Amino acid sequence: MKPIKVGLLGLGTVGTGVVRIVEGHQEDLTNQVGSPIVIAQILVKDRAKARNIQVDASKLTEDPWEVVRNPDIDVIIEVMGGIGQTKEYILEALERGKHIVTANKDLMALHGQEILAKARDKGCDVYYEASVAGGIPIIRTLIEGFSSDRITKIMGIVNGTTNYILTKMSQEGAAYADVLKEAQDLGYAEGDPTSDVEGLDAARKMTILSTLGFRSHVSLEDVSAKGISSVTQEDIQYAKRLGYEVKLLGIAERQDDFISVSVQPTMIKQSHPIASVNGVFNAVYVHGEAVGETMFYGAGAGELPTATSIVADLVAVVKNMKLGVNGRQAQLSYNVMKLKTDEQIASKFFLLLHVEDRAGVLAQIAQVFSDCDVSIESVMQPSAPNKMSTEIIIITHEASKASMNKVLGAFEGLAAVRKIKSVYRVEG
Ligand SMILES: NC(=O)c1ccc[n+]([C@@H]2O[C@H](COP(=O)([O-])OP(=O)(O)OC[C@H]3O[C@@H](n4cnc5c(N)ncnc54)[C@H](OP(=O)(O)O)[C@@H]3O)[C@@H](O)[C@H]2O)c1
């Protein structure tokens, strides 16, 4: 049996896991695909670096072109990260007829269409299961499992770092800055956490999920993103009193021919299954017109969970090779859907206001909502923090962001409203 030869770009956390799984599960893999799988060459930045795994030193190279231009290699597994140069390596490998498996959400969110188009032209496969929610097979599920249904909503906790921070804040009453520091010390958060905590990482993953779920191309610029850096302990405690948890949710919705995709800290009803997804775990909730509610839960990152998805992709590529059907994946973005602007996205809202503590204030506030055509679901007045002002919590019925912005604008000019403390989207 002629072995299938793999070129591995990167031998960090995920690359090490890929080597472990390919070597440790060799017998199972050979039985499934009908050939041994061999990691023939490995790209690293520094060959002299100490590794967590023993590999034949002669397989290591610091020259990317040596791997992508190696005529013996059938499949490239890209687990080096990066965007610009990495795209060049992948396009070159495709040009030479090699199939690609990648874990790179940044690359797929930004250049996925170009890479997939090139793959189609060259009759090659590109699989990228590990790029969203690490060990959860959500991409395959959206493409295959939902092929007969029409997805109306996808909600994802797709960033483990922010979910870890919000869980700690909720369960231990800790402050945002303290938990972020702890997450950095434990290696759950990067030294520069901006991409995670400001929602950009989640937005990139939602770009991929919504493109697949709605079968319509969504670009990163179409996804409005807000992170968790302004979430306070006070907001979380109020949410809990009202029966909600605060989660960083990516939310993609479809209404007729319109779709919307956004990422924001959201108050989600505690009874919703996604509200109980805690710590570094990820989950993706998918609602299909026919199937109803489904949810997929698991490890969103880590050496072996991520490598499991990558090697499963490798198995799919090799099976396609055996059948001679590489590059025949159907065109997935065949719908042309209109995108709602951020202002058109509708949801329920939570507002926490500091207002003057005197008669008639509530009536003035209610009038603003009425003037802006936003109806109120409930109002709560917790105990007053000081004698001069009091807090009011309002949950609205569904309203567009444009209407909500009008309400907030009107409050800016209303003397009775001392401060708009927090505004959250509400789900569930
Ligand atoms: N970590 C996870 O749990 C996870 C989960 C899902 C997806 N991903 C994605 O998987 C990819 C890899 O993540 P990782 O955590 O494994 O990263 P990592 O630990 O930093 O490893 C990166 C590897 O790539 C090599 N490398 C990087 N730039 C290079 C260059 N310019 N030339 C040659 N080699 C280069 C590094 O070489 P040296 O070892 O010599 O430095 C290292 O072996 C990223 O796209 C990430 O977003 C990661």
Side-chain angles (χ1 to χ4, degrees):
M1 281 185 291
K2 188 172 167 278
I4 300 296
K5 294 205 174 152
V6 174
L8 186 62
L9 305 185
L11 187 60
T13 305
V14 181
T16 302
V18 170
V19 175
R20 278 194 223 285
I21 291 198
V22 168
E23 288 179 353
H25 300 189
Q26 187 58 233
E27 201 182 322
D28 272 337
L29 295 173
T30 307
N31 281 328
Q32 287 183 63
V33 302
S35 310
I37 294 178
V38 173
I39 296 187
Q41 217 170 12
I42 305 173
L43 173 73
V44 290
K45 213 187 286 180
D46 177 6
R47 286 188 72 209
K49 190 167 150 182
R51 305 277 159 194
N52 292 333
I53 191 165
Q54 227 178 348
V55 287
D56 179 351
S58 69
K59 290 185 177 177
L60 297 180
T61 174
E62 294 174 9
D63 179 1
W65 303 113
E66 213 186 298
V67 187
V68 297
R69 291 177 179 156
N70 182 339
D72 293 336
I73 283 177
D74 307 290
V75 185
I76 294 285
I77 295 182
E78 186 277 304
V79 283
M80 62 186 282
I83 299 172
Q85 272 298 312
T86 311
K87 182 180 105 177
E88 297 311 311
Y89 305 151
I90 286 183
L91 291 176
E92 175 77 9
L94 288 169
E95 182 62 35
R96 289 164 186 266
K98 301 184 195 312
H99 311 292
I100 306 292
V101 174
T102 176
N104 194 328
K105 77 243 157 193
D106 304 325
L107 186 66
M108 291 311 290
L110 291 169
H111 302 295
Q113 295 299 303
E114 183 184 349
I115 290 169
L116 293 171
K118 176 87 175 178
R120 240 185 341 269
D121 288 350
K122 292 287 163 187
C124 293
D125 285 339
V126 174
Y127 280 75
Y128 47 103
E129 183 63 74
S131 66
V132 181
I136 308 174
I138 186 64
I139 289 184
R140 190 166 284 118
T141 300
L142 290 178
I143 296 174
E144 292 172 12
F146 280 88
S147 57
S148 58
D149 204 350
R150 198 169 294 149
I151 290 172
T152 50
K153 189 165 190 169
I154 303 172
M155 287 204 290
I157 293 181
V158 288
N159 181 275
T161 306
T162 45
N163 204 43
Y164 174 84
I165 293 172
L166 292 174
T167 302
K168 281 261 173 183
M169 287 176 76
S170 171
Q171 293 182 348
E172 295 174 15
Y176 169 78
D178 295 339
V179 189
L180 173 60
K181 165 93 179 43
E182 187 191 321
Q184 285 171 318
D185 292 345
L186 287 168
Y188 292 154
E190 307 269 342
D192 175 2
T194 314
S195 165
D196 288 326
V197 299
E198 296 308 339
L200 183 61
D201 175 80
R204 288 182 168 169
K205 291 165 177 167
M206 289 308 295
T207 302
I208 297 172
L209 293 184
S210 51
T211 294
L212 294 172
F214 300 135
R215 324 243 184 251
S216 174
H217 177 56
V218 174
S219 36
L220 187 59
E221 304 85 71
D222 299 332
V223 183
S224 67
K226 181 172 184 263
I228 64 162
S229 55
S230 58
V231 174
T232 65
Q233 188 51 238
E234 186 186 32
D235 297 340
I236 289 180
Q237 293 311 324
Y238 276 138
K240 286 168 76 134
R241 278 173 64 178
L242 295 166
Y244 293 91
E245 289 291 338
V246 176
K247 295 286 180 191
L248 184 69
L249 289 188
I251 303 178
E253 284 175 301
R254 168 190 182 145
Q255 251 178 358
D256 305 319
D257 285 343
F258 282 90
I259 57 174
S260 61
V261 191
S262 62
V263 171
Q264 61 274 295
T266 304
M267 290 194 182
I268 177 98
K269 263 262 187 285
Q270 281 162 346
S271 54
H272 193 286
I274 211 163
S276 56
V277 174
N278 287 323
V280 291
F281 279 93
N282 281 197
V284 182
Y285 163 95
V286 185
H287 185 275
E289 249 174 36
V291 73
E293 296 189 302
T294 62
M295 197 169 93
F296 306 88
Y297 168 88
E303 178 185 313
L304 291 177
T306 310
T308 308
S309 287
I310 291 170
V311 180
D313 279 352
L314 176 61
V315 166
V317 170
V318 179
K319 283 182 176 170
N320 289 347
M321 287 168 72
K322 300 279 172 171
L323 295 168
V325 294
N326 300 102
R328 302 255 189 98
Q329 288 126 307
Q331 163 62 265
L332 288 171
S333 305
Y334 51 82
N335 285 328
V336 181
M337 299 219 181
K338 293 173 218 84
L339 229 111
K340 282 188 184 173
T341 62
D342 193 40
E343 295 261 289
Q344 288 172 317
I345 298 177
S347 71
K348 289 162 71 167
F349 289 93
F350 163 103
L351 268 93
L352 172 59
L353 305 174
H354 274 194
V355 300
E356 282 179 13
D357 192 10
R358 62 172 172 76
V361 167
L362 202 53
Q364 283 182 38
I365 290 171
Q367 188 61 47
V368 168
F369 276 99
S370 164
D371 292 346
C372 300
D373 210 18
V374 176
S375 72
I376 294 173
E377 182 186 283
S378 61
V379 179
M380 185 178 124
Q381 189 166 1
S383 54
N386 61 53
K387 291 190 193 75
M388 301 302 289
S389 71
T390 190
E391 288 179 335
I392 288 187
I393 289 171
I394 295 164
I395 295 193
T396 71
H397 284 296
E398 193 150 292
S400 71
K401 222 173 192 181
S403 303
M404 240 357 260
N405 286 341
K406 270 194 220 155
V407 169
L408 299 176
F411 284 161
E412 297 287 352
L414 195 68
V417 175
R418 294 260 165 85
K419 193 170 180 192
I420 301 164
K421 282 222 62 190
S422 318
V423 182
Y424 284 86
R425 181 171 176 157
V426 174
E427 282 289 324

